[in-house]
Amino acid sequence: MLQVEVDVFSGRPNPVWLITDEDQEKELLGSVAEARGAVATCGAGFTGLGYREVAVSRLGDDEPPRRGVPRQFALGSVAAKDLAASGELARRAIEGMPLRSEIRLVQHELTPLSRALRDRLLELLESFLRDPPRLPSLPERPRTNPLRTTVRDERCRQCEYEVSQFNPGFWNRPAVQPHNNCYNYARNWRTDTFAQPGRAHGAQTGTMACNTVTTAAMADGLVKRCTCLPSSEWPRRHMALVIDPGWDYHWYREQRGGFWGHKPGSTAARNYDQNGAVITSPETCARGGYTDFCDYFYAGRSVVIN
């Protein structure tokens, strides 16, 4: 049995389905074995916003190994030696996505399989293959400081909030990284639930637009920027929301040092954008398909997410 996951979203769970048909499994693994240079290590390629890779995993521990086929691998990844062959296999895998899965996975509650989703994934893959992103040379990590700092908001001087050290190591551990997303990072609260705006308060939305995600997040207790929070809400986070219209959302958090951090989906936390540039403004940084900048927010200690 195989699990196929298209690593593409930041806030919503990624599209996931299972291949239980033995013939389909053999066909895919046989094609992978024949296409030298088509497979890559999961997570070794592009890790920014938008389409990243198609991850395939064999689920049983007693399945005989197949020569040239790892137990877990990525297709359609810029880390593959032969991107064209890898991309073609990724396209075939996505085209085989069931429009309605007979096996109900927990991810399907928030990301149901559909024709529209399949078409969107193929569109994103084609765009990715036409103009493959370059793997950025990582900027130098800024000096860390264990203390939080209270700063006055430059836009609304009567308001204050806290910025803290950039600490990606907390989020990029194997026990934490896959289970926490951009909303977890921006709120700075590890829940291990891939937290969703509004879910903790029965106000979650399935419509990916600025107004709906904003309403859901405010149900968790976020307030819009310049709605000052009292010192009793310390530490108060400064967050920003952007939207891939109709498909996904993404959050950023201001860090100590005048830059912003973020964590695209289950990938690593970082402080740079699509082009490898340190993020000094979430409004103007490179964001791929997340074209709609929504607003800035404060989140105090009373904000509960899940």
Side-chain angles (χ1 to χ4, degrees), residues 153 156 159 161 222-223 225-227 229 237-238 297-300:
D153 196 319
C156 27
C159 295
Y161 56 87
L222 273 70
V223 297
R225 186 180 188 181
C226 297
T227 303
L229 294 175
R237 314 295 178 182
H238 188 201
F297 300 83
Y298 302 142

Side-chain angles (χ1 to χ4, degrees), residues 186-230:
R187 171 60 184 88
N188 198 16
W189 190 349
R190 171 191 172 185
T191 65
D192 293 338
T193 62
F194 227 65
Q196 300 297 311
R199 182 162 64 189
H201 298 87
Q204 184 176 333
T205 180
T207 303
M208 299 295 109
C210 282
N211 62 333
T212 55
V213 179
T214 292
T215 299
M218 293 181 73
D220 287 337
L222 273 70
V223 297
K224 289 192 175 183
R225 186 180 188 181
C226 297
T227 303
C228 300
L229 294 175

Side-chain angles (χ1 to χ4, degrees), residues 245-264:
W247 293 102
D248 195 24
Y249 61 83
H250 185 63
W251 293 88
Y252 299 85
R253 168 164 50 103
E254 184 178 354
Q255 309 280 177
R256 187 175 186 185
F259 61 92
W260 293 70
H262 65 138
K263 183 181 183 300

Side-chain angles (χ1 to χ4, degrees), residues 34 120 146 279:
E34 293 174 1
R120 173 63 170 172
I279 300 171

Side-chain angles (χ1 to χ4, degrees), residues 29 108 129-130 151 179 186 197 203 231 242 249 280 291:
L29 296 180
H108 295 164
L129 295 175
R130 279 196 306 270
V151 297
H179 311 297
S231 58
V242 298
Y249 61 83
T280 57
T291 55

Side-chain angles (χ1 to χ4, degrees), residues 13-250:
N14 285 321
V16 178
W17 64 93
L18 303 181
I19 297 178
T20 58
D21 183 270
E22 186 175 3
D23 291 337
Q24 292 182 19
E25 178 180 349
K26 287 182 177 179
E27 180 182 358
L28 176 58
L29 296 180
S31 299
V32 169
E34 293 174 1
R36 294 184 178 181
V39 301
T41 301
C42 291
F46 176 66
T47 60
L49 291 172
Y51 171 85
R52 294 177 279 269
E53 64 187 21
V54 175
V56 181
S57 305
R58 303 177 73 182
L59 300 183
D61 63 5
D62 59 352
E63 298 173 1
R66 183 155 191 157
R67 188 174 182 179
V69 182
R71 186 166 294 278
Q72 183 179 42
F73 56 89
L75 300 173
S77 166
V78 291
K81 293 181 180 179
D82 187 344
L83 180 57
S86 188
E88 176 58 30
L89 289 175
R91 183 184 298 108
R92 286 162 56 182
I94 294 174
E95 288 174 344
M97 183 189 87
L99 301 185
R100 180 176 298 177
S101 178
E102 295 180 0
I103 301 175
R104 184 72 174 175
L105 303 178
V106 65
Q107 294 93 333
H108 295 164
E109 179 182 351
L110 297 177
T111 309
L113 306 182
S114 67
R115 186 181 304 277
L117 176 61
R118 185 185 64 185
D119 292 346
R120 173 63 170 172
L121 296 178
L122 290 171
E123 174 188 329
L124 291 173
L125 173 63
E126 294 303 326
S127 176
F128 182 90
L129 295 175
R130 279 196 306 270
D131 186 18
R134 296 180 180 179
L135 296 179
S137 55
L138 303 185
E140 182 181 353
R141 179 175 173 177
R143 295 177 182 177
T144 60
N145 189 308
L147 302 178
R148 296 188 184 108
T149 302
T150 299
V151 297
R152 193 173 296 277
D153 196 319
E154 295 180 353
R155 182 175 296 180
C156 27
R157 300 288 296 174
Q158 75 277 17
C159 295
E160 293 181 331
Y161 56 87
E162 281 65 49
V163 289
S164 57
Q165 68 172 19
F166 179 55
N167 185 18
F170 174 88
W171 298 97
N172 297 346
R173 296 173 289 160
V176 177
Q177 182 176 315
H179 311 297
N180 295 273
N181 62 0
C182 61
Y183 195 45
N184 289 107
Y185 184 89
R187 171 60 184 88
N188 198 16
W189 190 349
R190 171 191 172 185
T191 65
D192 293 338
T193 62
F194 227 65
Q196 300 297 311
R199 182 162 64 189
H201 298 87
Q204 184 176 333
T205 180
T207 303
M208 299 295 109
C210 282
N211 62 333
T212 55
V213 179
T214 292
T215 299
M218 293 181 73
D220 287 337
L222 273 70
V223 297
K224 289 192 175 183
R225 186 180 188 181
C226 297
T227 303
C228 300
L229 294 175
S231 58
S232 59
E233 285 289 320
W234 183 95
R236 299 154 293 189
R237 314 295 178 182
H238 188 201
M239 303 165 58
L241 171 64
V242 298
I243 293 287
D244 179 355
W247 293 102
D248 195 24
Y249 61 83
H250 185 63

